[in-house]
């Protein structure tokens, strides 16, 4: 897993909404200097995950539903459907020909690194970043 451009944009979208007001999609894109097409895509992913909400109409727009102190970078990754694996051999259910006996030193090290990365993402709350 890499921190994708989409994930970076998702954090920026949340930042644009953090003050509690409703903001249009074009307003979010303008405020954070994001391409409008990707902004819509990220907004839809965040809506589906219920991290943000939306209202239609003259006074409508997107707004933050999550508590930044309890929402983590890991939550953003999950909301976007990101593959969290640093390599395919750490994916659950992956049948690695080199690790069938569970003795592959690379697999053990990759799993250690993956666990550390997941822990960091799960403890980095958005209020710390924003």
């Amino acid at each position: 897993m890499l921190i994708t451009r989409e994930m970076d944009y998702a954090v920026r979208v949340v930042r644009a909404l953090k003050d509690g007001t409703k903001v249009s999609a074009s307003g979010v894109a303008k405020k954070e200097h994001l391409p409008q097409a990707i902004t819509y895509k990220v907004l839809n992913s965040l809506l589906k995950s219920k991290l943000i909400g939306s209202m239609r109409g003259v006074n409508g727009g997107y707004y933050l539903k999550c508590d930044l102190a309890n929402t983590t970078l890991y939550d953003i990754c999950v909301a976007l459907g990101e593959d969290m694996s640093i390599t395919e051999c750490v994916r659950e259910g992956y049948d690695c020909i080199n690790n069938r006996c569970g003795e592959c030193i690379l697999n053990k090290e990759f799993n250690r690194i993956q666990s550390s990365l997941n822990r960091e993402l799960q403890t980095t709350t958005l209020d710390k970043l924003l």
Side-chain angles (χ1 to χ4, degrees), residues 5-16:
R5 180 175 290 148
E6 193 172 339
M7 181 158 166
D8 174 41
Y9 289 175
V11 173
R12 293 171 191 275
V13 165
V14 170
R15 180 172 64 186

Side-chain angles (χ1 to χ4, degrees), residues 62-76:
Y62 294 90
Y63 59 92
L64 202 59
K65 286 179 70 176
C66 64
D67 176 8
L68 295 180
N70 293 315
T71 306
T72 65
L73 283 176
Y74 190 88
D75 296 325
I76 298 292

